[in-house]
């Protein structure tokens, strides 16, 4: 029997896992979408019931934006350490523009995969981990470690007010041994990814108004336009190799240490060629050499124009000098860079280079967090995962994407490891979000082993 089939068989025959899988079906059936303010209290209440029934001490707090659930399983062992599982019960919507084979809010199983909105991100992870705690307790007299689930309801909307809840319960949560991130996935080789961070971001608008109205373009040789002016300003901020030309940014970044560089070089599968093939790129990559490519992607900031709008773009011809031009931009941040400080440096740059007419407006900011994965609690996770995963593990100190890890680390100061039950094509936020049954069961086994490692 293949390993996949073996894991599926264990999943099907395990009565406790099946009982919790029924609860996952209910959980996915209950919509909870922060952006639409749907079902948040209802789902938080349902989670409270499930965790109380499992023997946890539960706090349901709705003081701030979305109700927050904190469920604690206390170990009777004196001076027991603590593991925190960070989760969110909100999901993104499943709008009509997404293609689903079944109903998004109804769990369906096909060919060894479980489908449904939130089955990976993040409801499936909540139930799988709770199942692991219960499975451990079913065969052991007591837990060797305290376990706290913190479950927020606004993760898909930039974790509104999570910082407030973390501050409120900081005293209970600091000093933990390990925080397990909400989710994780296997890469295309089937290796279990263990991630230690994510990049930050600052997004902003740049706008120029050069006149009260668009002007006849016969004046093109004597009147400057918002379009040329903004383009020149943008041009001054980055060179053609993709390096940011704004003073003081690279000086501030925290260089990766040797272990971080080595992890990325060993485990990152992405290359300039794979990105070229994936997206059908027609322009040459900014960096081709693998080492430089990985360093740029994982450890350096990037400046991107997300959109640019100016002048007449309608049918035929309109001979004008546009009076307005606007652009949307972002800088992806790495440790050492703070959103507002980066924006101040950009403002200063524009003034220094003679573009003081550009109006810069901050829209959104999130800090980055990175870890070299050398904390004993994380090494423990890596070793357990290696032992339980025949396909192997891929340990990455950060992902090139952005998320709220910094908020959590900043508030609690606990080492973070992200690993989970997703796969390389789990399609989070898209139609047919899925996890494989074998991965779901393997994750439960890994979490059980993690608990046992504290014996
Ligand atoms: Zn998530």
């Amino acid at each position: 029997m293949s390993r996949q089939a073996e894991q599926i068989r264990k999943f099907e025959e395990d009565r406790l896992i099946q009982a919790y899988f029924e609860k996952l079906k209910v959980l996915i059936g209950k919509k909870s979408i922060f952006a639409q303010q749907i079902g948040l209290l209802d789902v938080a209440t349902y989670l409270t019931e499930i965790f109380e029934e499992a023997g946890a001490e539960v706090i349901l707090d709705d003081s701030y934006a979305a109700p927050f659930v904190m469920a604690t399983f206390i170990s009777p062992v004196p001076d027991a350490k603590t593991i925190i599982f960070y989760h969110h019960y909100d999901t993104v919507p499943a709008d009509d523009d997404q293609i689903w084979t079944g109903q998004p809010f109804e769990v369906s199983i096909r060919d060894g995969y479980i489908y449904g909105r939130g089955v990976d991100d993040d409801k499936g992870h909540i139930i799988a981990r709770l199942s692991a705690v219960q499975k451990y307790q079913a065969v052991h007299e007591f837990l060797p470690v305290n376990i706290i689930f913190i479950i927020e309801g606004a993760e898909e909307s930039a974790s509104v007010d999570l910082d407030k809840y973390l501050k409120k319960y900081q005293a209970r949560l600091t000093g933990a041994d390990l925080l397990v991130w909400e989710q994780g996935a296997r890469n295309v080789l089937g290796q279990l990814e263990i991630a230690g961070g994510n990049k930050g971001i600052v997004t902003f608008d740049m706008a120029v108004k050069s006149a009260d109205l668009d002007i006849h373009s016969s004046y093109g040789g004597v009147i400057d336009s918002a379009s040329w002016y903004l383009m020149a300003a943008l041009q001054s901020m980055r060179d053609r190799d993709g390096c940011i030309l704004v003073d003081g940014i690279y000086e501030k970044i925290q260089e990766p240490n040797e272990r971080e560089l080595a992890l990325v070089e060993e485990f990152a599968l992405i290359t300039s060629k794979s990105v070229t093939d994936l997206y059908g790129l027609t322009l040459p990559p900014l960096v081709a050499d693998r080492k430089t490519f990985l360093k740029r992607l994982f450890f350096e900031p990037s400046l991107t124009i997300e959109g640019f709008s100016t002048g007449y773009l309608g049918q035929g011809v309109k001979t004008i000098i546009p009076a307005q031009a606007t652009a949307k931009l972002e800088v992806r941040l790495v440790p050492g860079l703070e959103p507002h400080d980066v924006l101040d440096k950009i403002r200063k740059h524009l003034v220094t280079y003679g573009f003081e007419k550009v109006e810069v407006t901050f829209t959104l900011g999130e800090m980055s967090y990175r870890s070299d994965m050398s904390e004993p609690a994380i090494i423990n996770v890596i070793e357990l995962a290696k032992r339980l995963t025949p396909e192997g593990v891929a340990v990455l100190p950060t992902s090139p994407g952005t998320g709220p890890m910094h908020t959590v680390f900043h508030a609690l100061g606990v080492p973070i490891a992200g690993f989970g039950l997703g796969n390389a094509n789990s399609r989070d936020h898209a139609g047919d979000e899925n996890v494989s049954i074998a991965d779901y069961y393997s994750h439960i086994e890994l979490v059980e082993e993690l608990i046992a490692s504290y014996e």
Side-chain angles (χ1 to χ4, degrees):
M1 192 186 270
S2 76
R3 177 165 163 89
Q4 298 289 99
E6 172 70 15
Q7 295 299 85
I8 293 174
R9 185 189 59 80
K10 285 197 262 175
F11 167 83
E12 283 168 352
E13 288 175 2
D14 191 321
R15 288 176 59 190
L16 191 146
I17 300 304
Q18 286 300 317
Y20 274 98
F21 186 58
E22 290 305 311
K23 297 184 201 297
L24 177 59
K25 290 182 184 168
V26 176
L27 196 55
I28 287 176
K30 290 176 181 283
K31 282 190 200 181
S32 43
I33 302 165
F34 183 83
Q36 301 168 348
Q37 289 292 306
I38 294 174
L40 301 177
L41 187 59
D42 182 34
V43 168
T45 306
Y46 181 62
L47 284 168
T48 303
E49 283 166 21
I50 295 178
F51 277 92
E52 275 178 349
E53 194 189 283
E57 196 183 279
V58 187
I59 293 172
L60 168 54
D61 187 342
D62 64 350
S63 308
Y64 308 114
F68 181 75
V69 180
M70 187 161 87
T72 308
F73 294 90
I74 296 172
S75 166
V77 178
D79 300 325
K81 291 181 177 172
T82 300
I83 301 174
I84 299 170
F85 290 107
Y86 158 72
H87 287 282
H88 60 93
Y89 59 79
D90 62 314
T91 70
V92 294
D95 299 314
D96 297 341
D97 59 342
Q98 294 189 341
I99 297 164
W100 286 81
T101 308
Q103 292 296 320
F105 296 100
E106 226 171 76
V107 167
S108 51
I109 295 183
R110 293 188 302 277
D111 302 325
Y113 284 78
I114 312 165
Y115 294 84
R117 172 55 80 231
V119 69
D120 185 44
D121 185 14
D122 175 44
K123 291 172 173 174
H125 279 85
I126 299 175
I127 296 298
R129 290 170 181 172
L130 174 58
S131 308
V133 174
Q134 293 307 86
K135 238 171 101 65
Y136 183 92
Q137 287 188 299
V139 285
H140 296 80
E141 253 172 81
F142 54 83
L143 287 170
V145 60
N146 302 308
I147 294 174
I148 308 178
F149 283 76
I150 52 175
I151 314 174
E152 66 151 314
E155 197 270 348
E156 302 297 359
S157 299
S159 294
V160 184
D161 289 351
L162 172 63
D163 54 336
K164 293 182 186 154
Y165 284 116
L166 292 178
K167 202 169 175 203
K168 184 165 175 182
Y169 298 106
Q170 200 168 28
R172 287 175 179 233
L173 298 168
T174 39
D177 197 49
L178 174 71
L179 185 142
V180 181
W181 199 245
E182 47 138 334
Q183 62 155 314
R186 286 170 190 256
N187 63 24
V188 286
L189 299 180
Q191 295 169 323
L192 186 75
E193 281 188 350
I194 304 175
N198 41 45
K199 274 186 166 177
I201 196 169
V202 56
T203 64
F204 55 101
D205 293 347
M206 283 173 55
V208 176
K209 184 169 182 283
S210 57
D212 291 336
L213 68 169
D214 292 345
I215 297 164
H216 194 284
S217 60
S218 57
Y219 289 105
V222 293
I223 288 176
D224 202 358
S225 77
S227 318
W228 280 115
Y229 190 91
L230 183 57
M231 263 169 47
L234 293 170
Q235 199 74 259
S236 76
M237 291 163 65
R238 199 192 83 155
D239 71 15
R240 292 207 58 186
D241 298 324
C243 291
I244 302 172
L245 298 174
V246 177
D247 284 343
I249 288 191
Y250 290 105
E251 287 83 338
K252 283 222 152 184
I253 71 174
Q254 187 186 312
E255 288 293 328
N257 66 27
E258 266 171 40
R259 181 173 160 83
E260 288 171 325
L261 284 170
L263 288 173
V264 161
E265 273 171 35
E266 181 175 357
F267 293 116
L269 297 176
I270 190 165
T271 62
S272 87
K273 167 130 182 20
S274 72
V275 183
T276 302
D277 293 347
L278 181 63
Y279 297 108
L281 302 186
T282 56
L283 300 177
L286 294 172
V287 281
D289 153 66
R290 179 164 187 267
K291 234 176 161 158
T292 322
F293 177 88
L294 292 176
K295 187 152 188 271
R296 180 79 66 80
L297 187 62
F298 286 89
F299 302 120
E300 289 176 12
S302 57
L303 171 66
T304 298
I305 300 173
E306 297 170 342
F308 188 82
S309 159
T310 186
Y312 180 74
L313 290 165
Q315 201 187 356
V317 174
K318 192 178 180 191
T319 48
I320 53 154
I321 298 174
Q324 294 190 42
T326 55
K328 286 193 174 289
L329 291 101
E330 61 164 61
V331 179
R332 292 278 162 161
L333 307 177
V334 296
L337 297 176
E338 193 274 321
H340 287 283
D341 183 58
V342 166
L343 210 53
D344 284 346
K345 289 187 163 52
I346 288 171
R347 287 198 178 95
K348 210 179 272 170
H349 167 94
L350 292 169
V351 172
T352 308
Y353 287 82
F355 299 109
E356 62 284 337
K357 296 282 186 215
V358 177
E359 197 184 309
V360 178
T361 313
F362 170 89
T363 47
L364 202 134
E366 194 153 355
M367 297 274 283
S368 60
Y369 166 73
R370 190 169 83 216
S371 144
D372 74 359
M373 316 294 275
S374 63
E375 292 272 353
I378 293 177
I379 298 281
N380 179 42
V381 169
I382 296 171
E383 292 308 318
L384 289 171
K386 275 186 187 164
R387 191 150 61 71
L388 274 103
T389 316
E391 299 85 353
V393 301
V395 184
L396 290 169
T398 182
S399 88
T402 293
M405 271 186 177
H406 178 273
T407 308
V408 175
F409 184 77
H410 181 71
L412 309 179
V414 177
I416 301 175
F419 58 97
L421 49 82
N423 59 70
N425 192 28
S426 271
R427 302 174 59 87
D428 290 5
H429 297 203
D432 279 349
E433 180 176 346
N434 68 87
V435 302
S436 98
I437 294 174
D439 292 343
Y440 183 88
Y441 194 80
S442 298
H443 186 67
I444 293 172
E445 288 183 324
L446 177 55
V447 173
E448 242 187 295
E449 284 302 308
L450 175 65
I451 297 168
S453 72
Y454 283 83
E455 281 169 6

